[in-house]
């Protein structure tokens, strides 16, 4: 019920002036968020929010905080386990370093590419009211999308750095984009999906511009 309520607020189109041009004029700060779990510790994790300059991709701020995760992992409901800590990180940054607040967040996870169309990138975007993009390393098999031979063949067809193909579900809806960000690792693409206040085309373009390696710098850092 909570996902359905919040999903009604998701905006699947560009809302910022800097998104209107391919070179993203006016975009100066890009953020990346992730929750990293400590091996051997039940519920121990590190919540990180990195802010990079754009387009130089130099680290401006890297606040990290150890947290105790109490909610269990349930497939399709990861946001309820992680997003509260990420929202807190964004709010703390806004209070302590308002001039370094990111203009967009890259999230290690999915957005619309989700069983109910409301992944962690959507959840975080709605709660922070920031443009958010989901960037996942593996395919979430929803709406008829499967990691079958056809999918693997499509991945093998990504010959050049920046090549893409759409993830179209059996519903006919495009849920995200598969993209090769490093031609040396074309067998390991990224799965990009809209989170909030950005269209898919802009999301893919921005992720590409943030990649020095396979994983975009805001998330890699």
């Amino acid at each position: 019920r909570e996902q359905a309520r919040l999903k009604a607020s998701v905006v699947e189109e560009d809302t910022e002036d800097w998104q209107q041009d391919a070179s993203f004029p006016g975009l100066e700060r890009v953020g990346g968020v992730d929750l990293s779990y400590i091996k051997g510790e039940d519920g121990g994790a590190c919540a990180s929010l990195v802010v990079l300059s754009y387009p130089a991709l130099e680290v401006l701020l890297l606040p990290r905080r150890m947290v105790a995760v109490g909610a269990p992992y349930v497939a399709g409901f990861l946001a309820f386990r992680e997003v509260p800590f990420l929202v807190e990180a964004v709010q703390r940054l806004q209070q302590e370093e308002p001039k370094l607040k990111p203009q967009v967040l890259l999230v290690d996870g999915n957005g619309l590419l989700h069983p109910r169309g409301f992944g962690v990138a959507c959840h975080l975007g709605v709660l922070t009211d920031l443009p958010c993009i989901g960037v996942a390393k593996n395919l979430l098999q929803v709406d008829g999308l499967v990691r079958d031979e056809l999918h693997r063949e499509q991945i093998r067809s990504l010959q050049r750095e920046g090549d893409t193909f759409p993830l179209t579900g059996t519903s006919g809806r495009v849920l995200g984009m598969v993209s090769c960000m490093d031609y040396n690792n074309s067998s390991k693409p990224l799965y990009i999906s809209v989170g909030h206040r950005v269209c898919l085309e802009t999301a893919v373009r921005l992720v590409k511009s943030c990649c020095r390696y396979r994983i975009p710098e805001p998330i890699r850092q």
Side-chain angles (χ1 to χ4, degrees):
R1 288 197 298 269
E2 181 71 0
Q3 283 183 332
R5 183 182 70 82
L6 293 174
K7 182 183 177 182
S9 298
V10 171
V11 177
E12 301 177 33
E13 58 189 33
D14 294 338
T15 61
E16 309 302 296
D17 290 341
W18 59 262
Q19 297 167 330
Q20 306 306 315
D21 187 278
S23 61
F24 300 127
L27 179 59
E28 299 177 348
R29 298 172 306 281
V30 178
V33 293
D34 193 15
L35 205 68
S36 302
Y37 296 91
I38 303 171
K39 293 180 180 179
E41 289 193 22
D42 186 22
C46 179
S48 301
L49 165 60
V50 63
V51 182
L52 275 63
S53 64
Y54 188 89
L57 300 179
E58 297 176 348
V59 175
L60 301 176
L61 196 68
L62 180 52
R64 291 167 290 189
R65 187 178 185 184
M66 302 309 298
V67 298
V69 180
Y73 170 74
V74 180
F77 297 95
L78 178 66
F80 292 96
R81 178 174 168 88
E82 297 189 350
V83 163
F85 302 108
L86 302 179
V87 169
E88 183 184 23
V90 172
Q91 292 174 339
R92 190 183 311 112
L93 173 62
Q94 188 170 2
Q95 293 172 356
E96 298 176 357
E97 299 283 353
K99 293 182 179 180
L100 293 180
K101 181 182 177 180
Q103 294 163 274
V104 58
L105 290 174
L106 272 59
V107 183
D108 186 8
N110 293 294
L112 298 180
L113 183 58
H114 179 268
R116 286 166 298 283
F118 193 74
V120 62
C122 297
H123 205 128
L124 181 63
V126 169
L127 293 185
T128 61
D129 198 31
L130 284 172
C132 281
I133 300 169
V135 184
K137 296 180 281 293
N138 298 294
L139 174 66
L140 187 60
Q141 302 185 68
V142 300
D143 194 13
L145 296 173
V146 292
R147 201 181 296 109
D148 57 7
E149 182 55 35
L150 174 59
H151 184 73
R152 288 188 285 271
E153 180 59 34
Q154 288 174 314
I155 291 174
R156 287 192 289 269
S157 73
L158 300 177
Q159 297 294 323
R160 297 172 301 176
E161 187 173 0
D163 281 356
T164 62
F165 68 83
L167 285 166
T168 306
T170 55
S171 64
R173 187 178 187 192
V174 176
L175 301 176
M177 195 75 74
V178 183
S179 183
C180 168
M181 296 302 177
D182 183 348
Y183 64 87
N184 290 318
N185 287 290
S186 59
S187 63
K188 296 181 178 180
L190 293 177
Y191 297 87
I192 303 167
S193 56
V194 169
H196 184 51
R197 293 178 59 183
V198 62
C199 73
L200 184 57
E201 179 183 358
T202 298
V204 172
R205 193 158 24 96
L206 180 59
V207 171
K208 286 181 181 180
S209 72
C210 288
C211 284
R212 290 174 174 166
Y213 306 97
R214 178 197 174 205
I215 306 300
E217 282 299 290
I219 293 177
R220 194 179 77 88
Q221 291 290 343

